[in-house]
Amino acid sequence: MTRISAKYLFVMKRIFPLLWFGFLACFMVAAVLSGAYKQDLGFMVMPCLMAVFGFFIMKKLVWDLVDEVYDGGDFLLVKNRGEEDRVLLSNIMNVSVSTNMNPPRITLRLVVPGRFGGEVSFSPASSFTLNPFARNPIAEDLIVRVDQARSARTR
């Protein structure tokens, strides 16, 4: 089986949030210990706003991505938090691709919901390109193969 999901997702889902919220907490502790918050309330308000903003952005864009996706030919093996689910290509209703965001994402809408729900989102493995309008080869391949599997299912 070939891994089609990005390998850096552990850093994006676990390490970056730890650094983000840890930095904000250290900043707030330093503001309290130095007494700087007494002169300007912004020393306490801005880190709180940044924490709330960061939480919602990470919840919407990063934390809903599954950890690993492997291509098994006529199925995809999806792994998230130690659990696995096998998604048949014929069970995929739609493949959505969002490449103009970081991290890029592929969302699979399922006909019959699986262990991870009716939609499975993952960040595809990508290669460097200078073309901002380049199509993702993994997404293009999945779109064609899902269409072929769906056509075979309706016969």
Side-chain angles (χ1 to χ4, degrees), residues 7-148:
K7 295 180 181 178
Y8 62 84
L9 213 52
F10 177 79
V11 173
M12 292 291 287
K13 287 179 74 170
R14 306 289 192 285
I15 305 298
F16 179 72
L18 184 68
L19 291 174
W20 177 264
F21 294 112
F23 171 75
L24 292 175
C26 288
F27 184 83
M28 289 182 69
V29 167
V32 168
L33 292 179
S34 70
Y37 75 96
K38 294 177 185 176
Q39 296 173 351
D40 187 7
L41 194 58
F43 277 102
M44 298 304 280
V45 173
M46 283 310 293
C48 291
L49 290 176
M50 289 174 66
V52 170
F53 179 75
F55 173 80
F56 285 110
I57 290 295
M58 288 181 215
K59 183 178 178 185
K60 180 75 174 157
L61 298 179
V62 178
W63 290 334
D64 67 333
L65 299 173
V66 295
D67 295 335
E68 300 174 37
V69 178
Y70 293 92
D71 187 354
D74 61 341
F75 68 94
L76 299 176
L77 182 64
V78 179
K79 296 181 179 184
N80 195 31
R81 296 181 183 165
E83 293 184 39
E84 292 184 2
D85 192 15
R86 190 173 161 161
V87 177
L88 296 174
L89 293 183
S90 60
N91 188 33
I92 298 174
M93 180 188 320
N94 187 28
V95 179
S96 302
V97 186
S98 301
T99 55
N100 295 331
M101 61 186 340
N102 191 15
R105 117 187 346 246
I106 295 176
T107 301
L108 310 172
R109 181 173 289 170
L110 306 178
V111 175
V112 177
R115 177 171 284 151
F116 304 117
E119 287 188 353
V120 174
S121 297
F122 68 96
S123 183
S126 59
S127 57
F128 178 76
T129 179
L130 291 175
N131 182 1
F133 305 108
R135 295 181 180 200
N136 187 296
I138 293 172
E140 293 297 314
D141 179 53
L142 272 177
I143 290 169
V144 170
R145 290 176 40 220
V146 164
D147 185 54
Q148 291 171 348

